[in-house]
């Protein structure tokens, strides 16, 4: 039996090939990816700027929205620039530490996004079901505790994945048929048993996200029950309107995420090209749509954006 000295083992660089089957189109595929990424960065930065400077937006809902904007910027920035460098510069080589770093931030931001959406659902529950106690329950100190708690939880869930990869010996090909480092994709290149990687890397984060989805569903069940008990139609419409943007973002985040995860794990009939292309769209489209959805559906933000650009136009 061959043994490996893992304490001093440092595999060479990996090769990210991009989107298999579409290598000839990489140059053109990169153009819409770059445009959407720029929209995501600019839109979320405007959102963060407005939340920071406008006192009327210094509420718990907008604090969680600011966290979500930062998290999805990390998600897209961890993947898109590397993807564009592959498409346009042919920079396919990535070091093992660089691969681990990219994988950590992609997975960490994904789990953190889910936790933030759960916190936002709790915020909407308190706002609608206990409006008179809203400011006493969700105080600035409580918001900070929630932010630290969900950030630490996400860190503790994803960090073991990094150590599960560092323990593996890589003595086969180091070619990754993807645009970024994905945990199971990298683990499958190892010449060792990866059962623990598969069970932990797939099971624990997914069960965490599923638990978030269940809590979100419970929150909205209680919200709907409270809304339909309101006496007037206008009151019901106003209450549901405050949840509209959050529901849109929930669907926008979870629908493609679960499709991509399940297709990767069970969709053996799904072509690799489609899966990788869809996985790349997931890390760029939701970040771009997030500020648009909140800008259109949330009156406070919509009014501030209009005011901001009207001031710029008159200068």
């Amino acid at each position: 039996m061959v043994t490996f000295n893992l304490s001093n083992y440092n595999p060479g660089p990996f090769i990210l090939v991009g989107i298999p089957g579409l290598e000839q189109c990489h140059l053109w595929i990169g153009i819409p990816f770059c445009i959407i990424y720029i929209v995501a960065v600019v839109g979320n930065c405007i959102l963060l700027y407005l939340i920071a400077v406008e006192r009327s937006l210094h509420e718990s809902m907008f604090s969680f929205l600011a966290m979500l904007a930062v998290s999805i910027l990390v998600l897209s920035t961890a993947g898109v620039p590397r993807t564009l460098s592959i498409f346009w510069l042919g920079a396919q080589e990535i070091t093992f530490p660089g691969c681990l770093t990219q994988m950590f931030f992609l997975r960490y931001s994904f789990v953190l996004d889910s936790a933030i959406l759960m916190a936002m659902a709790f915020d909407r529950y308190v706002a609608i079901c206990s409006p008179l106690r809203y400011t006493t329950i969700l105080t600035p100190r409580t918001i900070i505790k929630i932010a630290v708690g969900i950030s630490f939880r996400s860190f503790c869930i994803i960090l073991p994945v990094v150590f599960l990869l560092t323990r593996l010996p890589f003595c086969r090909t180091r070619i990754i048929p993807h645009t970024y480092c994905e945990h199971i994709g990298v683990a499958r290149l190892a010449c060792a048993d990866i059962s623990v990687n598969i069970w932990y890397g797939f099971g624990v984060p997914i069960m965490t996200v599923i638990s978030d989805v269940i809590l979100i569903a419970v929150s909205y069940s209680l919200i709907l029950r409270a809304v339909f008990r309101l006496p007037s139609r206008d009151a019901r419409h106003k209450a549901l309107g405050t949840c509209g943007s959050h529901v849109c973002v929930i669907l926008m985040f979870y629908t493609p995420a679960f499709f991509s995860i399940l297709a990767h794990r069970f969709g053996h009939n799904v072509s690799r090209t489609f899966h990788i292309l869809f996985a790349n769209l997931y890390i760029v489209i939701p970040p771009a749509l997030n500020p648009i959805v909140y800008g259109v559906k949330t009156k406070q933000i919509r009014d501030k954006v209009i005011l901001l650009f009207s001031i710029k136009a008159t200068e």
Side-chain angles (χ1 to χ4, degrees), residues 145-159:
K145 289 180 179 179
I146 293 174
V148 172
I150 60 179
S151 300
F152 183 69
R153 186 199 74 161
S154 303
F155 179 83
C156 292
I157 289 170
I158 299 303
L159 187 62

Side-chain angles (χ1 to χ4, degrees), residues 126-127 129-139:
V126 176
C129 297
S130 301
L132 298 179
R133 301 175 58 201
Y134 181 71
T135 55
T136 58
I137 293 176
L138 288 169
T139 61

Side-chain angles (χ1 to χ4, degrees), residues 86-155:
I86 295 170
F87 288 168
W88 290 346
L89 304 176
Q92 298 180 320
E93 193 172 282
I94 184 171
T95 63
F96 185 60
C99 190
L100 292 178
T101 302
Q102 184 187 49
M103 184 214 65
F104 172 81
F105 280 107
L106 285 170
R107 287 211 151 205
Y108 173 76
S109 56
F110 169 73
V111 176
L112 181 58
D113 286 346
S114 179
I116 295 170
L117 290 174
M118 178 184 64
M120 293 173 79
F122 174 70
D123 172 87
R124 291 299 84 201
Y125 164 75
V126 176
I128 293 174
C129 297
S130 301
L132 298 179
R133 301 175 58 201
Y134 181 71
T135 55
T136 58
I137 293 176
L138 288 169
T139 61
R141 177 173 291 185
T142 302
I143 294 170
I144 292 173
K145 289 180 179 179
I146 293 174
V148 172
I150 60 179
S151 300
F152 183 69
R153 186 199 74 161
S154 303
F155 179 83

Side-chain angles (χ1 to χ4, degrees), residues 128-287:
I128 293 174
C129 297
S130 301
L132 298 179
R133 301 175 58 201
Y134 181 71
T135 55
T136 58
I137 293 176
L138 288 169
T139 61
R141 177 173 291 185
T142 302
I143 294 170
I144 292 173
K145 289 180 179 179
I146 293 174
V148 172
I150 60 179
S151 300
F152 183 69
R153 186 199 74 161
S154 303
F155 179 83
C156 292
I157 289 170
I158 299 303
L159 187 62
V161 175
V162 176
F163 290 105
L164 287 174
L165 279 178
T166 57
R167 73 182 182 88
L168 295 175
F170 294 90
C171 54
R172 300 173 184 169
T173 178
R174 296 188 179 93
I175 298 175
I176 303 173
H178 212 304
T179 57
Y180 56 79
C181 291
E182 193 275 329
H183 173 229
I184 300 301
V186 176
R188 284 175 177 161
L189 301 178
C191 46
D193 181 29
I194 62 169
S195 299
V196 177
N197 293 73
I198 292 174
W199 285 109
Y200 186 92
F202 178 76
V204 175
I206 295 305
M207 292 306 298
T208 303
V209 171
I210 289 175
S211 67
D212 293 342
V213 172
I214 292 172
L215 291 174
I216 290 171
V218 170
S219 296
Y220 271 95
S221 298
L222 296 173
I223 288 171
L224 289 175
R225 187 179 69 174
V227 166
F228 288 117
R229 288 180 177 178
L230 294 175
S232 68
R233 183 176 180 180
D234 289 340
R236 291 195 295 269
H237 180 74
K238 184 178 180 180
L240 290 174
T242 63
C243 301
S245 53
H246 185 227
V247 172
C248 289
V249 172
I250 288 172
L251 295 175
M252 182 178 69
F253 175 79
Y254 284 116
T255 303
F258 279 116
F259 176 83
S260 180
I261 291 168
L262 294 174
H264 183 74
R265 185 69 179 87
F266 303 108
H268 302 294
N269 295 326
V270 178
S271 69
R272 176 181 291 178
T273 299
F274 175 80
H275 171 73
I276 295 174
L277 185 61
F278 191 86
N280 278 275
L281 290 174
Y282 169 71
I283 65 173
V284 70
I285 297 267

